[in-house]
Amino acid sequence: MSAQERRESVIRAATAEFARGGYHGTSTEAIAKRVGVSQPYLFRLFPGKKGIFLAVVERCLHDTTRIFEEASDGLSGAEALQAMADAYKRLIAERPEALMMQMQMYVAVAAAEQEGDHEFGESVRRDWMRLWDTVRAPLGGDDDTTAFMASGMLINCLVAMGFPAEHRVWTGCFPADAGKVRPGE
């Protein structure tokens, strides 16, 4: 395997580990073991645990941004919104670690900020703003983008907490989806 292929393996393994255990609850030893390499080899590929985590965050946000770009290509307004919502629902249904990684990312930034590490948050916020701008372009403005992202965060929280699809808490989450399948169905 080339160094780039090994790096990709580390990012995939670290995504699974960080999604499950968070930044502080995941050891580089667990990541190395999942990949089948030594810890010193990890640190030849990345400058440390923080570097691995930030690479995973970048990949997670990049993948979500790409999914929104592809879904909304050539669309605008309500059509783009529905296409991006459908694409995101597929993403979190097919790759639940992507959702959990997002949730862990928000917690890690808050913890780093409290510890005085503002560089960590700046890096994540920069990548997250690319996601925001990708959503904003086809929706045409900040108000629609805010509503879309707010609905997405509610859905993230409900899915992460394991609310079953038939639970009343889902009512109204998908106004354009009346009668369609909800996450978890």
Short mmCIF file of all heavy atoms in Angstrom, two decimals, residues 82-154:
data_model
loop_
_atom_site.label_atom_id
_atom_site.label_comp_id
_atom_site.label_asym_id
_atom_site.label_seq_id
_atom_site.Cartn_x
_atom_site.Cartn_y
_atom_site.Cartn_z
N GLN A 82 -35.21 20.05 -1.46
CA GLN A 82 -35.70 18.67 -1.38
C GLN A 82 -34.62 17.68 -1.80
O GLN A 82 -34.43 16.65 -1.16
CB GLN A 82 -36.95 18.47 -2.23
CG GLN A 82 -37.63 17.14 -1.98
CD GLN A 82 -38.12 16.99 -0.55
OE1 GLN A 82 -38.80 17.85 -0.04
NE2 GLN A 82 -37.74 15.90 0.10
N ALA A 83 -33.90 17.99 -2.87
CA ALA A 83 -32.84 17.09 -3.35
C ALA A 83 -31.73 16.95 -2.32
O ALA A 83 -31.23 15.84 -2.08
CB ALA A 83 -32.29 17.60 -4.68
N MET A 84 -31.32 18.06 -1.71
CA MET A 84 -30.27 18.00 -0.68
C MET A 84 -30.77 17.26 0.56
O MET A 84 -30.02 16.48 1.15
CB MET A 84 -29.78 19.40 -0.33
CG MET A 84 -28.96 20.04 -1.44
SD MET A 84 -28.19 21.61 -0.98
CE MET A 84 -29.61 22.68 -0.76
N ALA A 85 -32.02 17.50 0.96
CA ALA A 85 -32.57 16.79 2.12
C ALA A 85 -32.61 15.29 1.87
O ALA A 85 -32.22 14.50 2.74
CB ALA A 85 -33.97 17.33 2.44
N ASP A 86 -33.06 14.89 0.69
CA ASP A 86 -33.11 13.47 0.36
C ASP A 86 -31.71 12.85 0.35
O ASP A 86 -31.50 11.75 0.85
CB ASP A 86 -33.79 13.25 -1.01
CG ASP A 86 -35.28 13.55 -0.98
OD1 ASP A 86 -35.87 13.63 0.11
OD2 ASP A 86 -35.85 13.71 -2.08
N ALA A 87 -30.75 13.57 -0.22
CA ALA A 87 -29.37 13.07 -0.28
C ALA A 87 -28.79 12.93 1.12
O ALA A 87 -28.09 11.95 1.42
CB ALA A 87 -28.51 14.01 -1.13
N TYR A 88 -29.10 13.88 1.98
CA TYR A 88 -28.57 13.82 3.35
C TYR A 88 -29.21 12.67 4.13
O TYR A 88 -28.52 11.95 4.86
CB TYR A 88 -28.78 15.14 4.08
CG TYR A 88 -28.11 15.16 5.43
CD1 TYR A 88 -26.73 15.19 5.52
CD2 TYR A 88 -28.85 15.10 6.60
CE1 TYR A 88 -26.09 15.16 6.74
CE2 TYR A 88 -28.22 15.09 7.83
CZ TYR A 88 -26.84 15.12 7.89
OH TYR A 88 -26.21 15.09 9.11
N LYS A 89 -30.49 12.47 3.95
CA LYS A 89 -31.16 11.35 4.62
C LYS A 89 -30.53 10.02 4.19
O LYS A 89 -30.33 9.13 5.01
CB LYS A 89 -32.66 11.35 4.36
CG LYS A 89 -33.39 12.43 5.14
CD LYS A 89 -34.89 12.30 5.02
CE LYS A 89 -35.37 12.76 3.69
NZ LYS A 89 -36.84 12.75 3.56
N ARG A 90 -30.22 9.90 2.91
CA ARG A 90 -29.56 8.68 2.42
C ARG A 90 -28.18 8.53 3.07
O ARG A 90 -27.80 7.44 3.48
CB ARG A 90 -29.42 8.70 0.90
CG ARG A 90 -30.67 8.27 0.16
CD ARG A 90 -30.42 8.03 -1.33
NE ARG A 90 -29.83 9.17 -2.01
CZ ARG A 90 -30.51 10.22 -2.47
NH1 ARG A 90 -31.82 10.29 -2.31
NH2 ARG A 90 -29.89 11.21 -3.09
N LEU A 91 -27.44 9.64 3.13
CA LEU A 91 -26.10 9.59 3.73
C LEU A 91 -26.15 9.06 5.16
O LEU A 91 -25.41 8.14 5.50
CB LEU A 91 -25.45 10.98 3.72
CG LEU A 91 -24.15 11.11 4.52
CD1 LEU A 91 -23.03 10.32 3.89
CD2 LEU A 91 -23.76 12.58 4.67
N ILE A 92 -27.00 9.64 5.98
CA ILE A 92 -26.99 9.22 7.40
C ILE A 92 -27.61 7.84 7.59
O ILE A 92 -27.31 7.17 8.57
CB ILE A 92 -27.59 10.28 8.34
CG1 ILE A 92 -29.06 10.54 8.05
CG2 ILE A 92 -26.77 11.56 8.28
CD1 ILE A 92 -29.73 11.48 9.05
N ALA A 93 -28.47 7.42 6.65
CA ALA A 93 -29.02 6.07 6.74
C ALA A 93 -27.98 5.03 6.32
O ALA A 93 -27.85 3.98 6.94
CB ALA A 93 -30.27 5.94 5.86
N GLU A 94 -27.21 5.35 5.27
CA GLU A 94 -26.23 4.40 4.74
C GLU A 94 -24.90 4.44 5.49
O GLU A 94 -24.19 3.44 5.52
CB GLU A 94 -25.99 4.69 3.25
CG GLU A 94 -27.22 4.42 2.39
CD GLU A 94 -27.08 4.97 0.97
OE1 GLU A 94 -26.00 5.47 0.59
OE2 GLU A 94 -28.09 4.90 0.24
N ARG A 95 -24.56 5.60 6.04
CA ARG A 95 -23.27 5.75 6.73
C ARG A 95 -23.50 6.44 8.08
O ARG A 95 -23.18 7.61 8.25
CB ARG A 95 -22.32 6.57 5.87
CG ARG A 95 -21.90 5.85 4.60
CD ARG A 95 -20.90 6.60 3.75
NE ARG A 95 -19.90 7.30 4.51
CZ ARG A 95 -19.43 8.52 4.20
NH1 ARG A 95 -19.87 9.15 3.14
NH2 ARG A 95 -18.52 9.10 4.94
N PRO A 96 -24.05 5.72 9.05
CA PRO A 96 -24.35 6.35 10.34
C PRO A 96 -23.12 6.95 11.03
O PRO A 96 -23.25 7.89 11.81
CB PRO A 96 -24.98 5.23 11.17
CG PRO A 96 -24.70 3.96 10.44
CD PRO A 96 -24.42 4.31 9.02
N GLU A 97 -21.94 6.44 10.71
CA GLU A 97 -20.73 7.01 11.31
C GLU A 97 -20.52 8.45 10.86
O GLU A 97 -19.91 9.25 11.59
CB GLU A 97 -19.49 6.16 11.01
CG GLU A 97 -18.96 6.23 9.60
CD GLU A 97 -19.70 5.39 8.56
OE1 GLU A 97 -20.66 4.68 8.92
OE2 GLU A 97 -19.30 5.45 7.38
N ALA A 98 -21.04 8.83 9.69
CA ALA A 98 -20.93 10.22 9.24
C ALA A 98 -21.72 11.15 10.14
O ALA A 98 -21.25 12.23 10.51
CB ALA A 98 -21.41 10.35 7.80
N LEU A 99 -22.91 10.71 10.54
CA LEU A 99 -23.72 11.50 11.47
C LEU A 99 -23.03 11.58 12.83
O LEU A 99 -22.89 12.66 13.40
CB LEU A 99 -25.11 10.89 11.63
CG LEU A 99 -25.92 11.44 12.81
CD1 LEU A 99 -26.24 12.91 12.62
CD2 LEU A 99 -27.17 10.63 13.02
N MET A 100 -22.60 10.44 13.35
CA MET A 100 -21.98 10.44 14.68
C MET A 100 -20.68 11.24 14.68
O MET A 100 -20.36 11.91 15.65
CB MET A 100 -21.75 9.01 15.15
CG MET A 100 -23.05 8.23 15.35
SD MET A 100 -24.28 9.10 16.37
CE MET A 100 -23.43 9.16 17.93
N MET A 101 -19.95 11.21 13.58
CA MET A 101 -18.73 12.00 13.48
C MET A 101 -19.05 13.48 13.55
O MET A 101 -18.35 14.26 14.21
CB MET A 101 -17.95 11.65 12.21
CG MET A 101 -16.60 12.30 12.12
SD MET A 101 -15.53 11.86 13.51
CE MET A 101 -14.69 13.41 13.73
N GLN A 102 -20.12 13.89 12.87
CA GLN A 102 -20.53 15.30 12.96
C GLN A 102 -20.84 15.69 14.40
O GLN A 102 -20.40 16.74 14.87
CB GLN A 102 -21.77 15.55 12.10
CG GLN A 102 -21.50 15.58 10.63
CD GLN A 102 -22.78 15.87 9.89
OE1 GLN A 102 -23.44 16.87 10.15
NE2 GLN A 102 -23.12 15.00 8.96
N MET A 103 -21.58 14.84 15.08
CA MET A 103 -21.95 15.15 16.46
C MET A 103 -20.69 15.26 17.34
O MET A 103 -20.57 16.16 18.15
CB MET A 103 -22.92 14.10 17.00
CG MET A 103 -24.19 13.95 16.18
SD MET A 103 -25.15 15.46 15.98
CE MET A 103 -26.08 15.43 17.48
N GLN A 104 -19.76 14.33 17.14
CA GLN A 104 -18.51 14.35 17.90
C GLN A 104 -17.69 15.60 17.58
O GLN A 104 -17.04 16.17 18.45
CB GLN A 104 -17.68 13.09 17.62
CG GLN A 104 -18.32 11.82 18.08
CD GLN A 104 -18.39 11.68 19.59
OE1 GLN A 104 -17.95 12.53 20.36
NE2 GLN A 104 -18.93 10.56 20.04
N MET A 105 -17.74 16.04 16.34
CA MET A 105 -17.01 17.22 15.91
C MET A 105 -17.47 18.44 16.69
O MET A 105 -16.66 19.23 17.16
CB MET A 105 -17.23 17.41 14.41
CG MET A 105 -16.73 18.70 13.82
SD MET A 105 -17.12 18.82 12.05
CE MET A 105 -18.90 18.92 12.06
N TYR A 106 -18.78 18.60 16.84
CA TYR A 106 -19.31 19.77 17.55
C TYR A 106 -18.88 19.75 19.02
O TYR A 106 -18.50 20.78 19.57
CB TYR A 106 -20.84 19.83 17.44
CG TYR A 106 -21.33 19.83 16.00
CD1 TYR A 106 -22.40 19.03 15.62
CD2 TYR A 106 -20.72 20.61 15.02
CE1 TYR A 106 -22.86 19.03 14.31
CE2 TYR A 106 -21.18 20.61 13.72
CZ TYR A 106 -22.24 19.81 13.37
OH TYR A 106 -22.68 19.81 12.07
N VAL A 107 -18.92 18.59 19.63
CA VAL A 107 -18.49 18.45 21.02
C VAL A 107 -17.00 18.75 21.16
O VAL A 107 -16.58 19.45 22.08
CB VAL A 107 -18.82 17.04 21.56
CG1 VAL A 107 -18.19 16.80 22.91
CG2 VAL A 107 -20.33 16.83 21.62
N ALA A 108 -16.21 18.23 20.24
CA ALA A 108 -14.75 18.43 20.31
C ALA A 108 -14.39 19.90 20.17
O ALA A 108 -13.49 20.39 20.86
CB ALA A 108 -14.05 17.60 19.23
N VAL A 109 -15.08 20.62 19.28
CA VAL A 109 -14.80 22.05 19.12
C VAL A 109 -15.14 22.80 20.40
O VAL A 109 -14.36 23.63 20.88
CB VAL A 109 -15.56 22.64 17.91
CG1 VAL A 109 -15.50 24.16 17.91
CG2 VAL A 109 -14.98 22.10 16.62
N ALA A 110 -16.30 22.51 20.98
CA ALA A 110 -16.70 23.18 22.22
C ALA A 110 -15.70 22.92 23.33
O ALA A 110 -15.31 23.85 24.06
CB ALA A 110 -18.10 22.73 22.64
N ALA A 111 -15.25 21.68 23.46
CA ALA A 111 -14.27 21.34 24.50
C ALA A 111 -12.94 22.05 24.26
O ALA A 111 -12.33 22.57 25.19
CB ALA A 111 -14.07 19.83 24.56
N ALA A 112 -12.50 22.08 23.01
CA ALA A 112 -11.23 22.75 22.69
C ALA A 112 -11.33 24.24 22.99
O ALA A 112 -10.39 24.83 23.53
CB ALA A 112 -10.87 22.51 21.22
N GLU A 113 -12.45 24.86 22.63
CA GLU A 113 -12.63 26.29 22.90
C GLU A 113 -12.56 26.56 24.40
O GLU A 113 -11.94 27.53 24.83
CB GLU A 113 -13.97 26.78 22.33
CG GLU A 113 -14.03 26.80 20.82
CD GLU A 113 -13.25 27.94 20.18
OE1 GLU A 113 -13.20 29.04 20.75
OE2 GLU A 113 -12.68 27.71 19.10
N GLN A 114 -13.19 25.70 25.20
CA GLN A 114 -13.16 25.88 26.65
C GLN A 114 -11.74 25.74 27.19
O GLN A 114 -11.40 26.37 28.19
CB GLN A 114 -14.08 24.89 27.34
CG GLN A 114 -15.54 25.26 27.22
CD GLN A 114 -16.43 24.34 28.02
OE1 GLN A 114 -16.06 23.21 28.35
NE2 GLN A 114 -17.62 24.82 28.35
N GLU A 115 -10.94 24.94 26.54
CA GLU A 115 -9.55 24.74 26.96
C GLU A 115 -8.62 25.81 26.39
O GLU A 115 -7.42 25.78 26.63
CB GLU A 115 -9.06 23.35 26.53
CG GLU A 115 -9.78 22.21 27.22
CD GLU A 115 -9.47 20.85 26.62
OE1 GLU A 115 -8.71 20.77 25.63
OE2 GLU A 115 -10.00 19.86 27.15
N GLY A 116 -9.18 26.74 25.61
CA GLY A 116 -8.38 27.81 25.05
C GLY A 116 -7.75 27.50 23.71
O GLY A 116 -6.96 28.29 23.19
N ASP A 117 -8.08 26.36 23.12
CA ASP A 117 -7.54 25.98 21.82
C ASP A 117 -8.48 26.50 20.74
O ASP A 117 -9.40 25.81 20.31
CB ASP A 117 -7.39 24.47 21.72
CG ASP A 117 -6.78 24.02 20.40
OD1 ASP A 117 -6.59 24.85 19.49
OD2 ASP A 117 -6.48 22.81 20.28
N HIS A 118 -8.26 27.72 20.29
CA HIS A 118 -9.13 28.34 19.29
C HIS A 118 -8.74 27.94 17.86
O HIS A 118 -9.56 28.02 16.96
CB HIS A 118 -9.13 29.86 19.46
CG HIS A 118 -9.54 30.26 20.84
ND1 HIS A 118 -10.81 30.07 21.32
CD2 HIS A 118 -8.83 30.81 21.86
CE1 HIS A 118 -10.88 30.49 22.57
NE2 HIS A 118 -9.69 30.94 22.92
N GLU A 119 -7.52 27.49 17.69
CA GLU A 119 -7.07 27.05 16.37
C GLU A 119 -7.88 25.84 15.90
O GLU A 119 -8.25 25.74 14.73
CB GLU A 119 -5.58 26.69 16.42
CG GLU A 119 -5.02 26.21 15.11
CD GLU A 119 -3.57 25.76 15.22
OE1 GLU A 119 -2.92 26.04 16.25
OE2 GLU A 119 -3.09 25.13 14.26
N PHE A 120 -8.16 24.95 16.81
CA PHE A 120 -8.92 23.75 16.52
C PHE A 120 -10.29 24.14 15.94
O PHE A 120 -10.69 23.67 14.88
CB PHE A 120 -9.10 22.96 17.83
CG PHE A 120 -9.66 21.58 17.67
CD1 PHE A 120 -8.84 20.50 17.41
CD2 PHE A 120 -11.01 21.34 17.84
CE1 PHE A 120 -9.34 19.22 17.29
CE2 PHE A 120 -11.53 20.06 17.73
CZ PHE A 120 -10.69 19.00 17.46
N GLY A 121 -11.00 25.01 16.63
CA GLY A 121 -12.31 25.46 16.19
C GLY A 121 -12.27 26.23 14.89
O GLY A 121 -13.16 26.10 14.05
N GLU A 122 -11.23 27.05 14.71
CA GLU A 122 -11.11 27.83 13.48
C GLU A 122 -11.02 26.91 12.27
O GLU A 122 -11.65 27.16 11.25
CB GLU A 122 -9.89 28.75 13.53
CG GLU A 122 -10.11 30.00 14.33
CD GLU A 122 -11.24 30.87 13.80
OE1 GLU A 122 -11.32 31.08 12.57
OE2 GLU A 122 -12.07 31.31 14.63
N SER A 123 -10.26 25.85 12.39
CA SER A 123 -10.12 24.90 11.30
C SER A 123 -11.46 24.25 10.96
O SER A 123 -11.85 24.17 9.80
CB SER A 123 -9.09 23.82 11.68
OG SER A 123 -9.02 22.84 10.69
N VAL A 124 -12.17 23.82 11.98
CA VAL A 124 -13.46 23.16 11.77
C VAL A 124 -14.48 24.16 11.22
O VAL A 124 -15.22 23.85 10.28
CB VAL A 124 -13.97 22.51 13.08
CG1 VAL A 124 -15.37 21.96 12.91
CG2 VAL A 124 -13.01 21.42 13.54
N ARG A 125 -14.51 25.37 11.79
CA ARG A 125 -15.46 26.38 11.31
C ARG A 125 -15.21 26.76 9.85
O ARG A 125 -16.15 26.96 9.08
CB ARG A 125 -15.42 27.62 12.20
CG ARG A 125 -16.12 27.41 13.54
CD ARG A 125 -16.23 28.71 14.32
NE ARG A 125 -14.96 29.17 14.83
CZ ARG A 125 -14.42 28.77 15.99
NH1 ARG A 125 -15.05 27.89 16.76
NH2 ARG A 125 -13.27 29.25 16.39
N ARG A 126 -13.95 26.81 9.44
CA ARG A 126 -13.62 27.13 8.05
C ARG A 126 -14.23 26.08 7.11
O ARG A 126 -14.87 26.41 6.12
CB ARG A 126 -12.10 27.20 7.88
CG ARG A 126 -11.66 27.56 6.46
CD ARG A 126 -10.15 27.52 6.29
NE ARG A 126 -9.63 26.19 6.57
CZ ARG A 126 -8.85 25.87 7.61
NH1 ARG A 126 -8.45 26.79 8.46
NH2 ARG A 126 -8.42 24.64 7.79
N ASP A 127 -14.04 24.80 7.45
CA ASP A 127 -14.60 23.73 6.61
C ASP A 127 -16.12 23.72 6.67
O ASP A 127 -16.79 23.46 5.67
CB ASP A 127 -14.04 22.37 7.05
CG ASP A 127 -12.56 22.22 6.72
OD1 ASP A 127 -12.07 22.91 5.80
OD2 ASP A 127 -11.90 21.40 7.39
N TRP A 128 -16.68 24.02 7.84
CA TRP A 128 -18.13 24.03 7.98
C TRP A 128 -18.74 25.17 7.16
O TRP A 128 -19.82 25.01 6.59
CB TRP A 128 -18.53 24.15 9.46
CG TRP A 128 -19.96 23.80 9.70
CD1 TRP A 128 -20.47 22.55 9.94
CD2 TRP A 128 -21.08 24.70 9.73
NE1 TRP A 128 -21.83 22.63 10.11
CE2 TRP A 128 -22.23 23.94 9.98
CE3 TRP A 128 -21.21 26.06 9.55
CZ2 TRP A 128 -23.50 24.51 10.08
CZ3 TRP A 128 -22.47 26.64 9.64
CH2 TRP A 128 -23.60 25.84 9.90
N MET A 129 -18.05 26.29 7.06
CA MET A 129 -18.56 27.42 6.26
C MET A 129 -18.60 27.07 4.78
O MET A 129 -19.47 27.55 4.05
CB MET A 129 -17.75 28.68 6.50
CG MET A 129 -18.06 29.38 7.82
SD MET A 129 -19.83 29.72 8.08
CE MET A 129 -20.21 30.78 6.68
N ARG A 130 -17.71 26.20 4.32
CA ARG A 130 -17.79 25.73 2.93
C ARG A 130 -19.09 24.95 2.72
O ARG A 130 -19.75 25.08 1.69
CB ARG A 130 -16.59 24.85 2.58
CG ARG A 130 -15.33 25.63 2.37
CD ARG A 130 -14.22 24.74 1.80
NE ARG A 130 -12.97 25.41 2.03
CZ ARG A 130 -12.03 25.00 2.88
NH1 ARG A 130 -12.17 23.88 3.55
NH2 ARG A 130 -10.92 25.69 3.04
N LEU A 131 -19.44 24.15 3.72
CA LEU A 131 -20.69 23.42 3.68
C LEU A 131 -21.87 24.39 3.64
O LEU A 131 -22.77 24.26 2.81
CB LEU A 131 -20.80 22.50 4.90
CG LEU A 131 -22.07 21.69 5.07
CD1 LEU A 131 -22.20 20.66 3.97
CD2 LEU A 131 -22.09 21.03 6.43
N TRP A 132 -21.85 25.39 4.52
CA TRP A 132 -22.91 26.41 4.56
C TRP A 132 -23.06 27.10 3.20
O TRP A 132 -24.17 27.23 2.68
CB TRP A 132 -22.57 27.44 5.64
CG TRP A 132 -23.50 28.62 5.70
CD1 TRP A 132 -23.43 29.76 4.95
CD2 TRP A 132 -24.65 28.76 6.53
NE1 TRP A 132 -24.46 30.60 5.28
CE2 TRP A 132 -25.22 30.02 6.25
CE3 TRP A 132 -25.23 27.96 7.50
CZ2 TRP A 132 -26.35 30.49 6.90
CZ3 TRP A 132 -26.36 28.43 8.15
CH2 TRP A 132 -26.91 29.68 7.84
N ASP A 133 -21.95 27.53 2.64
CA ASP A 133 -21.99 28.24 1.36
C ASP A 133 -22.48 27.34 0.23
O ASP A 133 -23.15 27.82 -0.70
CB ASP A 133 -20.62 28.83 1.03
CG ASP A 133 -20.25 29.99 1.95
OD1 ASP A 133 -21.16 30.61 2.55
OD2 ASP A 133 -19.04 30.26 2.09
N THR A 134 -22.18 26.06 0.30
CA THR A 134 -22.66 25.12 -0.71
C THR A 134 -24.17 24.99 -0.64
O THR A 134 -24.84 24.92 -1.68
CB THR A 134 -21.99 23.74 -0.50
OG1 THR A 134 -20.59 23.90 -0.72
CG2 THR A 134 -22.54 22.70 -1.45
N VAL A 135 -24.72 24.97 0.56
CA VAL A 135 -26.17 24.91 0.72
C VAL A 135 -26.80 26.24 0.32
O VAL A 135 -27.84 26.29 -0.33
CB VAL A 135 -26.53 24.54 2.18
CG1 VAL A 135 -28.01 24.74 2.45
CG2 VAL A 135 -26.10 23.12 2.49
N ARG A 136 -26.15 27.33 0.69
CA ARG A 136 -26.69 28.67 0.44
C ARG A 136 -26.83 28.97 -1.06
O ARG A 136 -27.81 29.59 -1.49
CB ARG A 136 -25.79 29.72 1.08
CG ARG A 136 -26.36 31.12 0.99
CD ARG A 136 -25.38 32.12 1.63
NE ARG A 136 -25.96 33.44 1.70
CZ ARG A 136 -26.06 34.27 0.67
NH1 ARG A 136 -25.59 33.91 -0.52
NH2 ARG A 136 -26.60 35.46 0.82
N ALA A 137 -25.88 28.52 -1.85
CA ALA A 137 -25.89 28.86 -3.28
C ALA A 137 -27.20 28.49 -3.97
O ALA A 137 -27.84 29.35 -4.57
CB ALA A 137 -24.68 28.24 -3.98
N PRO A 138 -27.66 27.24 -3.90
CA PRO A 138 -28.91 26.92 -4.60
C PRO A 138 -30.17 27.40 -3.87
O PRO A 138 -31.22 27.56 -4.49
CB PRO A 138 -28.89 25.40 -4.71
CG PRO A 138 -28.03 24.95 -3.58
CD PRO A 138 -27.00 26.04 -3.40
N LEU A 139 -30.05 27.63 -2.56
CA LEU A 139 -31.23 28.09 -1.82
C LEU A 139 -31.42 29.59 -1.94
O LEU A 139 -32.51 30.09 -1.71
CB LEU A 139 -31.15 27.66 -0.36
CG LEU A 139 -31.16 26.15 -0.10
CD1 LEU A 139 -31.20 25.87 1.39
CD2 LEU A 139 -32.32 25.47 -0.81
N GLY A 140 -30.35 30.30 -2.25
CA GLY A 140 -30.48 31.72 -2.55
C GLY A 140 -30.40 32.69 -1.41
O GLY A 140 -30.54 33.89 -1.63
N GLY A 141 -30.20 32.25 -0.20
CA GLY A 141 -30.10 33.23 0.87
C GLY A 141 -29.86 32.61 2.22
O GLY A 141 -29.98 31.39 2.41
N ASP A 142 -29.50 33.48 3.17
CA ASP A 142 -29.18 33.02 4.51
C ASP A 142 -30.39 32.49 5.27
O ASP A 142 -30.27 31.54 6.03
CB ASP A 142 -28.50 34.14 5.31
CG ASP A 142 -27.08 34.41 4.82
OD1 ASP A 142 -26.46 33.48 4.25
OD2 ASP A 142 -26.60 35.53 5.01
N ASP A 143 -31.58 33.10 5.10
CA ASP A 143 -32.75 32.64 5.84
C ASP A 143 -33.11 31.20 5.48
O ASP A 143 -33.36 30.38 6.35
CB ASP A 143 -33.96 33.56 5.59
CG ASP A 143 -33.82 34.91 6.27
OD1 ASP A 143 -32.91 35.08 7.12
OD2 ASP A 143 -34.61 35.81 5.94
N ASP A 144 -33.14 30.89 4.19
CA ASP A 144 -33.45 29.53 3.76
C ASP A 144 -32.35 28.56 4.17
O ASP A 144 -32.64 27.42 4.54
CB ASP A 144 -33.66 29.48 2.25
CG ASP A 144 -34.93 30.18 1.80
OD1 ASP A 144 -35.87 30.30 2.62
OD2 ASP A 144 -34.99 30.61 0.65
N THR A 145 -31.13 29.02 4.13
CA THR A 145 -30.00 28.18 4.55
C THR A 145 -30.10 27.89 6.04
O THR A 145 -29.92 26.74 6.46
CB THR A 145 -28.66 28.86 4.22
OG1 THR A 145 -28.65 29.15 2.81
CG2 THR A 145 -27.48 27.97 4.57
N THR A 146 -30.41 28.91 6.82
CA THR A 146 -30.56 28.72 8.27
C THR A 146 -31.66 27.71 8.57
O THR A 146 -31.48 26.81 9.39
CB THR A 146 -30.86 30.06 8.96
OG1 THR A 146 -29.75 30.93 8.75
CG2 THR A 146 -31.09 29.88 10.44
N ALA A 147 -32.79 27.84 7.90
CA ALA A 147 -33.91 26.92 8.13
C ALA A 147 -33.52 25.49 7.76
O ALA A 147 -33.82 24.54 8.49
CB ALA A 147 -35.13 27.37 7.34
N PHE A 148 -32.83 25.33 6.62
CA PHE A 148 -32.41 24.00 6.18
C PHE A 148 -31.44 23.38 7.18
O PHE A 148 -31.59 22.22 7.58
CB PHE A 148 -31.76 24.10 4.79
CG PHE A 148 -31.26 22.79 4.26
CD1 PHE A 148 -32.13 21.90 3.65
CD2 PHE A 148 -29.91 22.46 4.34
CE1 PHE A 148 -31.67 20.68 3.15
CE2 PHE A 148 -29.44 21.25 3.84
CZ PHE A 148 -30.33 20.37 3.24
N MET A 149 -30.43 24.16 7.58
CA MET A 149 -29.43 23.64 8.51
C MET A 149 -30.04 23.38 9.89
O MET A 149 -29.68 22.39 10.54
CB MET A 149 -28.25 24.61 8.61
CG MET A 149 -27.52 24.81 7.28
SD MET A 149 -26.79 23.31 6.61
CE MET A 149 -25.14 23.47 7.26
N ALA A 150 -30.96 24.22 10.32
CA ALA A 150 -31.61 24.01 11.62
C ALA A 150 -32.43 22.72 11.61
O ALA A 150 -32.37 21.93 12.56
CB ALA A 150 -32.49 25.21 11.98
N SER A 151 -33.16 22.49 10.53
CA SER A 151 -33.93 21.25 10.41
C SER A 151 -32.98 20.05 10.40
O SER A 151 -33.26 19.03 11.03
CB SER A 151 -34.76 21.25 9.13
OG SER A 151 -35.76 22.21 9.20
N GLY A 152 -31.88 20.20 9.69
CA GLY A 152 -30.89 19.12 9.64
C GLY A 152 -30.32 18.80 11.01
O GLY A 152 -30.14 17.63 11.36
N MET A 153 -30.05 19.83 11.80
CA MET A 153 -29.51 19.58 13.15
C MET A 153 -30.54 18.90 14.03
O MET A 153 -30.20 18.02 14.83
CB MET A 153 -29.03 20.89 13.78
CG MET A 153 -27.69 21.35 13.24
SD MET A 153 -26.37 20.10 13.40
CE MET A 153 -26.18 20.06 15.18
N LEU A 154 -31.81 19.28 13.91
CA LEU A 154 -32.85 18.61 14.67
C LEU A 154 -32.91 17.13 14.27
O LEU A 154 -32.94 16.25 15.13
CB LEU A 154 -34.21 19.27 14.45
CG LEU A 154 -35.41 18.54 15.07
CD1 LEU A 154 -35.26 18.42 16.59
CD2 LEU A 154 -36.70 19.25 14.70
#
